[in-house]
Amino acid sequence: DENGHQNKKLKRDADEEDAEDQNKKSPKRKIVLLMAYSGKGYHGMQRNVGSSQFKTIEDDLVSALVQSGCIPENHGEDMKKMSFQRCARTDKGVSAAGQIVSLKVRLIDDILEKINNHLPSHIRILGLKRVTGGFNSKNKCDARTYSYMLPTFAFAHKDHDVQEEVYRLDKETLEKVNKLLACYKGTHNFHNFTSQKGPRDPSAKRYIMEIHCGEPFVRENIEFAVIKVKGQSFMMHQIRKMIGLVIAIVKGYAAESIIELSWGEEKVDVPKAPGLGLVLERVHFEKYNRRFGNDGLHEPLEWTKEEEKIAVFKEQYIYPTIINTEREEKSMVNWLNTLSIHDFNSSVVGMQANNKNSKNSSDVEGSDGCDDDSD
């Protein structure tokens, strides 16, 4: 008995030493992961524990982290234990090419390869960097860049242009689009571009750094263009409404003066473009990089080495999903047909009628937000 007891004790001690050695080899460290994903079929980024019928990107990510041995199983059940924080909370149907999450993991060998082995091909971890112990990807982010890919027939004038896929955007119309988009630059009161914000709510003021529509290109016989917008932070539906209003003006449904009017206290009926096409392109950590990027211990949170991988992922998973879904579901065509029922003369009655109509439509929901206002 004594020998048996002694043998068990020796085995237990040996197991503990092995576990200790393993932990020494792969200590827990605070890192950030660069993620790319196609959001189609997911109810957004953020995990809803206990709500299994609404699958999210984080469900698949956490499962891969546990299976690869980066985190213990109980950390997957309670994400606070690994100090998990996503930079931007993208909603249903929205994709990302440069999402960032921060968390504590065991730095195992071949960590990226092992995590990706347990992820579906439309979700990839493209990069990893060590960060400071107190780093929080949401709080330390000082700007976000989104893109919105749309068929150019969205800009065809309702009275004298063809409204179909054969439409091609001319130089003058593109210049008009960019002139209107430029109105958004700077700090404005965007209470009319989201829900549940009053005109005197200080958090409705947002700072837009850059916004521009690029040159059109043809895919699958449809001409597309990509609008890029960089801002400190965005409220729910803000980007989609910013683009929706410009489309309404260019198509001839609303006067140019409506943009200026929307900054004021009056309630303005701003149409919300479809969620399909919205992509989180990248998140910016300029202040963090200035302070820690060259301190000799940490790398700046820039991803120049990963640019090619990001571009390949977009071509393989994000763009084809947007193009094919647009062809099959015609989300832009269906939405454009609702513009005529909008009341651009600030009628609250018109807004209520339109809200009722949009709830009945098959709009793909997508959040532009990444701060506390974007729920």
Side-chain angles (χ1 to χ4, degrees):
D1 284 351
E2 275 181 24
N3 283 344
H5 180 74
Q6 188 69 21
N7 288 340
K8 276 183 187 172
K9 186 176 183 302
L10 287 168
K11 187 176 184 304
R12 191 171 66 244
D13 289 346
D15 288 346
E16 283 173 6
E17 276 176 32
D18 284 348
E20 210 173 297
D21 287 346
Q22 185 59 35
N23 285 338
K24 278 179 186 169
K25 282 179 194 169
S26 51
K28 275 192 189 167
R29 293 287 182 263
K30 192 68 164 286
I31 61 156
V32 294
L33 296 175
L34 172 68
M35 288 185 76
Y37 52 84
S38 171
K40 189 177 182 186
Y42 288 88
H43 282 256
M45 171 72 182
Q46 190 168 354
R47 198 174 185 210
N48 301 307
V49 180
S51 181
S52 57
Q53 81 253 38
F54 297 120
K55 194 178 184 187
T56 69
I57 300 291
E58 281 175 18
D59 286 327
D60 281 353
L61 173 62
V62 169
S63 173
L65 290 169
V66 171
Q67 288 178 71
S68 61
C70 294
I71 60 167
E73 203 162 328
N74 65 333
H75 285 205
E77 290 155 16
D78 182 0
M79 293 166 76
K80 285 179 186 168
K81 287 182 176 172
M82 56 172 162
S83 305
F84 187 92
Q85 187 58 256
R86 87 249 352 127
C87 187
R89 182 174 42 234
T90 56
D91 275 0
K92 184 180 174 185
V94 178
S95 298
Q99 170 73 284
I100 296 288
V101 298
S102 56
L103 67 159
K104 282 182 181 170
V105 296
R106 295 189 192 114
L107 283 178
I108 58 175
D109 294 335
D110 304 317
I111 182 168
L112 290 191
E113 190 184 336
K114 283 174 182 167
I115 298 170
N116 281 325
N117 283 344
H118 294 286
L119 283 170
S121 58
H122 55 265
I123 303 175
R124 292 288 94 179
I125 306 299
L126 302 179
L128 176 152
K129 288 183 192 284
R130 286 275 306 277
V131 285
T132 56
F135 184 86
N136 177 310
S137 61
K138 182 179 149 192
N139 297 344
K140 296 292 180 190
C141 176
D142 36 38
R144 287 101 174 156
T145 297
Y146 282 83
S147 69
Y148 188 86
M149 182 173 165
L150 76 170
T152 58
F153 62 74
F155 297 125
H157 194 281
K158 67 181 175 70
D159 297 329
H160 49 74
D161 284 332
V162 62
Q163 302 293 306
E164 296 163 16
E165 294 171 2
V166 292
Y167 174 84
R168 295 295 179 258
L169 186 66
D170 58 59
K171 193 182 171 189
E172 291 75 21
T173 307
L174 180 58
E175 281 172 4
K176 184 177 184 182
V177 169
N178 275 317
K179 183 183 154 213
L180 291 167
L181 290 173
C183 298
Y184 290 124
K185 288 182 186 177
T187 302
H188 299 286
N189 188 332
F190 283 98
H191 74 97
N192 275 309
F193 294 77
T194 190
S195 56
Q196 299 168 332
K197 289 272 181 211
R200 297 185 186 182
D201 188 334
S203 68
K205 286 193 175 174
R206 299 291 158 132
Y207 175 47
I208 305 299
M209 300 161 181
E210 297 164 21
I211 185 164
H212 185 263
C213 182
E215 290 292 326
F217 53 92
V218 176
R219 296 285 171 91
E220 311 268 329
N221 298 322
I222 307 175
E223 187 179 69
F224 288 88
V226 174
I227 295 169
K228 281 198 175 175
V229 53
K230 180 181 180 183
Q232 270 182 341
S233 60
F234 300 95
M235 297 176 289
M236 190 174 186
H237 301 150
Q238 183 185 335
I239 293 173
R240 289 167 61 191
K241 280 178 172 276
M242 288 164 70
I243 291 166
L245 188 54
V246 166
I247 290 171
I249 294 167
V250 175
K251 286 195 87 67
Y253 287 105
E256 286 189 31
S257 57
I258 203 90
I259 294 182
E260 191 94 15
L261 186 67
S262 71
W263 311 139
E265 293 204 0
E266 201 173 348
K267 197 75 180 159
V268 174
D269 181 8
V270 178
K272 178 177 68 182
L276 181 70
L278 188 63
V279 179
L280 174 63
E281 285 286 335
R282 63 177 56 216
V283 287
H284 307 268
F285 298 94
E286 285 144 18
K287 285 178 195 164
Y288 174 87
N289 287 344
R290 282 198 295 272
R291 185 168 176 193
F292 297 107
N294 297 303
D295 65 357
L297 296 169
H298 306 96
E299 299 172 85
L301 295 183
E302 291 161 354
W303 307 95
T304 37
K305 287 180 187 171
E306 288 77 16
E307 288 292 349
E308 197 176 325
K309 285 194 277 186
I310 292 170
V312 168
F313 185 89
K314 280 171 22 179
E315 287 293 340
Q316 209 168 353
Y317 294 100
I318 295 178
Y319 293 157
T321 299
I322 293 170
I323 294 162
N324 294 336
T325 306
E326 182 57 53
R327 285 186 78 90
E328 290 161 20
E329 298 177 12
K330 301 199 178 296
S331 62
M332 182 57 76
V333 175
N334 294 335
W335 175 76
L336 290 171
N337 290 334
T338 70
L339 281 178
S340 60
I341 64 160
H342 277 265
D343 180 357
F344 294 101
N345 296 314
S346 313
S347 163
V348 175
V349 176
M351 290 186 72
Q352 286 166 347
N354 177 65
N355 286 341
K356 191 176 178 185
N357 178 281
S358 65
K359 277 175 189 170
N360 294 333
S361 75
S362 57
D363 184 27
V364 179
E365 189 66 21
S367 164
D368 328 316
C370 35
D371 57 4
D372 292 336
D373 302 321
S374 63
D375 278 328

